[in-house]
């Protein structure tokens, strides 16, 4: 069984992961409107990853005898000033999510819920990657700032990213 508190917090995190997917899907649409298909495709992969995060928590909650309750998802921003601004927002968002995961771990420890704590460690590690991959693109865009043709090159590079679904439960 799972405590009411942990159940509520995990339901909250399912919502946060779905919002992340929604935000990145919105960024994909923005990049499509800017004729940057590689940037858009990178965001599609990111959206798919966020959906798997939500499902991972969903499955865990069910497995522990909890009850999944889906709440409404906040409308994401639709426009950004520039590709750089969008990726800076993505990086900032990932930092926020890392904070949410850390709060969840703290709660699991307070509640002495070791199974939830152990489950959450995958997310702790995943957030290190999430922050670094968004920041990597921010740095790339900053480096080529205003160089003609450079955005085209980055767009081509970002278009190479592929989605790899998690294979073994709890690992990716
Ligand atoms: Fe996530
Ligand atoms: Fe993320």
């Amino acid at each position: 069984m799972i405590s009411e508190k942990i159940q509520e917090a995990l339901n909250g995190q399912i919502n946060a992961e779905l919002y992340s997917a929604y935000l990145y899907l919105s960024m994909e649409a923005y990049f499509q409107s800017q004729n940057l298909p590689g940037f858009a495709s990178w965001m599609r992969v990111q959206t798919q990853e966020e959906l798997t995060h939500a499902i991972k928590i969903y499955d865990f909650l069910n497995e522990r005898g909890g009850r999944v309750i889906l709440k409404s998802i906040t409308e994401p921003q639709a426009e950004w000033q520039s590709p750089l601004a969008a990726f800076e927002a993505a990086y900032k968002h990932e930092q926020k999510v890392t904070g949410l995961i850390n709060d969840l771990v703290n709660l699991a420890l307070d509640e002495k819920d070791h199974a939830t704590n152990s489950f959450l460690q995958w997310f702790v590690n995943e957030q290190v990657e999430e922050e670094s991959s968004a920041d990597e693109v921010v740095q790339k865009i900053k480096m080529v700032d205003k160089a003609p043709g450079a955005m085209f090159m980055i767009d081509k590079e970002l278009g190479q990213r592929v989605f790899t679904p998690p294979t073994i439960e709890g690992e990716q």
Side-chain angles (χ1 to χ4, degrees):
M1 260 318 275
I2 202 154
S3 80
E4 197 71 35
K5 252 189 185 169
I6 298 274
Q7 173 173 300
E8 205 186 309
L10 288 177
N11 271 312
Q13 193 59 33
I14 291 173
N15 188 269
E17 299 294 344
L18 290 174
Y19 172 75
S20 299
Y22 220 29
L23 174 66
Y24 295 134
L25 196 60
S26 185
M27 287 182 177
E28 178 188 344
Y30 160 74
F31 284 123
Q32 271 164 348
S33 79
Q34 299 296 303
N35 297 313
L36 290 166
F39 280 80
S41 154
W42 193 99
M43 283 297 169
R44 171 66 62 94
V45 173
Q46 194 60 29
T47 297
Q48 285 171 304
E49 279 201 3
E50 299 301 352
L51 290 175
T52 67
H53 295 168
I55 296 296
K56 219 184 229 305
I57 303 166
Y58 178 108
D59 287 343
F60 175 76
L61 195 44
N62 269 321
E63 210 180 323
R64 295 284 307 282
R67 176 73 167 91
V68 170
I69 303 286
L70 298 177
K71 300 272 168 61
S72 58
I73 306 165
T74 312
E75 182 182 309
Q77 196 174 324
E79 299 291 347
W80 285 269
Q81 288 282 322
S82 62
L84 176 61
F87 264 93
E88 279 175 336
Y91 178 47
K92 211 171 136 205
H93 179 68
E94 287 304 332
Q95 288 175 306
K96 197 181 130 198
V97 173
T98 299
L100 294 177
I101 297 292
N102 288 342
D103 289 348
L104 274 174
V105 172
N106 289 337
L107 181 66
L109 292 174
D110 284 349
E111 297 276 297
K112 298 184 170 53
D113 184 340
H114 297 288
T116 298
N117 175 43
S118 163
F119 167 75
L120 287 170
Q121 294 310 307
W122 183 89
F123 285 86
V124 170
N125 295 323
E126 175 70 6
Q127 280 313 117
V128 175
E129 230 175 87
E130 290 278 84
E131 282 191 34
S132 117
S133 61
D135 187 44
E136 202 184 297
V137 182
V138 168
Q139 298 312 323
K140 231 170 234 167
I141 301 172
K142 276 185 174 169
M143 217 150 51
V144 302
D145 192 28
K146 291 176 189 98
M151 286 307 276
F152 174 75
M153 296 300 291
I154 297 179
D155 189 63
K156 269 189 91 170
E157 193 190 323
L158 294 188
Q160 308 288 311
R161 186 185 182 193
V162 287
F163 173 63
T164 339
T167 44
I168 308 158
E169 181 53 41
E171 282 176 36
Q172 192 178 353

